[in-house]
Amino acid sequence: MRTLPVIYLAAGRGSRLGDLTADIPKAFVEVGSRPLADRSFEYLRAAGFDRIVVVTGHAAEAFGGHDVETVFNERWESENNITSLWQVREIVKDGCTIVNCDLLFEPELARRLAQTVGSAILVDDELAVDEESMKATEREGGLDRLHKALPLDTAVGEYIGLTRIDPADGPRLAEILEEFIAAGNTQVYYEDAIEALAREQTVRLERIGGTRWV
């Protein structure tokens, strides 16, 4: 099974990190003396992903020394990350994987992402969710809702920021992104577009409880 291109969403400043991200993207915040991006790229490539497309914004030049493609999101400062995914809609159209840049995860999760079939989001079904969690609910074996504002007691688990969009569903997701932008819905998360896709196509919940990520 061929691996799909990785869309690595890294446009935001990470304002809640304060001075840590004043001059660098939040993907370059170090954990254990290594930037998040370095770890993610290493694990993704080891799992077989050979094309990584980074959507940049704040401190975009930081990615210049990495063997990745970059696409600059001119709207990064005024709009939400749905515009970042929209910027690479031509890649989305053919199927892709989506990786949040502020995610620290073990190599096993990169392998799980590479082995995932169909369209699916990776969900931790063992970790307790809180108000800040991107919560997922389920209906008839697939994703129903995906949002931070959902009631805690309805959630199956927390979406961890790893997604696979099957090539069969890529064209429709690209259309949904266009529809959001055309309607001026630019202050929402890209997860809203995935939720919209799930109303028409099956988006599975790939349960990864027990793995390590933050």
Side-chain angles (χ1 to χ4, degrees), residues 14-205:
S15 58
R16 286 179 293 181
L17 294 173
D19 291 343
L20 283 175
T21 55
D23 301 313
I24 60 171
K26 58 184 175 181
F28 282 79
V29 170
E30 293 187 357
V31 177
S33 301
R34 290 192 67 193
L36 291 172
D38 287 8
R39 292 180 184 274
S40 294
F41 296 163
E42 176 188 336
Y43 300 162
L44 290 164
R45 289 198 171 100
F49 294 99
D50 55 11
R51 183 185 182 192
I52 300 175
V53 181
V54 180
V55 184
T56 65
H58 171 65
E61 65 280 358
F63 288 96
H66 290 71
D67 183 22
V68 295
E69 301 172 45
T70 59
V71 175
F72 183 67
N73 177 9
E74 295 179 348
R75 307 182 181 195
W76 73 268
E77 200 164 10
S78 59
E79 299 177 355
N80 214 327
N81 64 12
I82 192 166
T83 60
S84 287
L85 197 57
W86 173 79
Q87 290 284 347
V88 289
R89 57 198 179 280
E90 290 302 316
I91 299 173
V92 171
K93 188 180 297 183
D94 294 327
C96 64
T97 52
I98 303 169
V99 178
N100 289 356
C101 79
D102 54 2
L103 177 65
L104 176 64
F105 58 94
E106 64 173 316
E108 173 60 22
L109 283 168
R111 292 190 287 268
R112 289 282 294 271
L113 184 63
Q115 295 163 3
T116 296
V117 297
S119 291
I121 63 170
L122 273 60
V123 173
D124 192 326
D125 58 333
E126 294 185 11
L127 187 70
V129 295
D130 58 26
E131 296 295 340
E132 182 63 17
S133 303
M134 182 61 73
K135 294 173 279 293
T137 64
E138 190 174 28
R139 176 175 53 83
E140 297 177 356
L143 174 66
D144 181 26
R145 299 292 314 282
L146 184 61
H147 205 279
K148 289 185 177 183
L150 297 176
L152 300 181
D153 60 357
T154 67
V156 172
E158 180 173 359
Y159 168 57
I160 72 166
L162 297 175
T163 290
R164 183 182 193 271
I165 299 299
D166 193 78
D169 297 326
R172 181 57 188 137
L173 181 57
E175 289 177 354
I176 290 170
L177 292 168
E178 291 274 27
E179 291 165 5
F180 269 78
I181 302 304
N185 292 333
T186 60
Q187 299 299 333
V188 299
Y189 297 109
Y190 76 84
E191 287 91 345
D192 289 69
I194 293 175
E195 181 184 287
L197 176 68
R199 288 196 286 268
E200 303 177 16
Q201 312 289 348
T202 298
V203 177
R204 295 188 307 100
L205 303 182

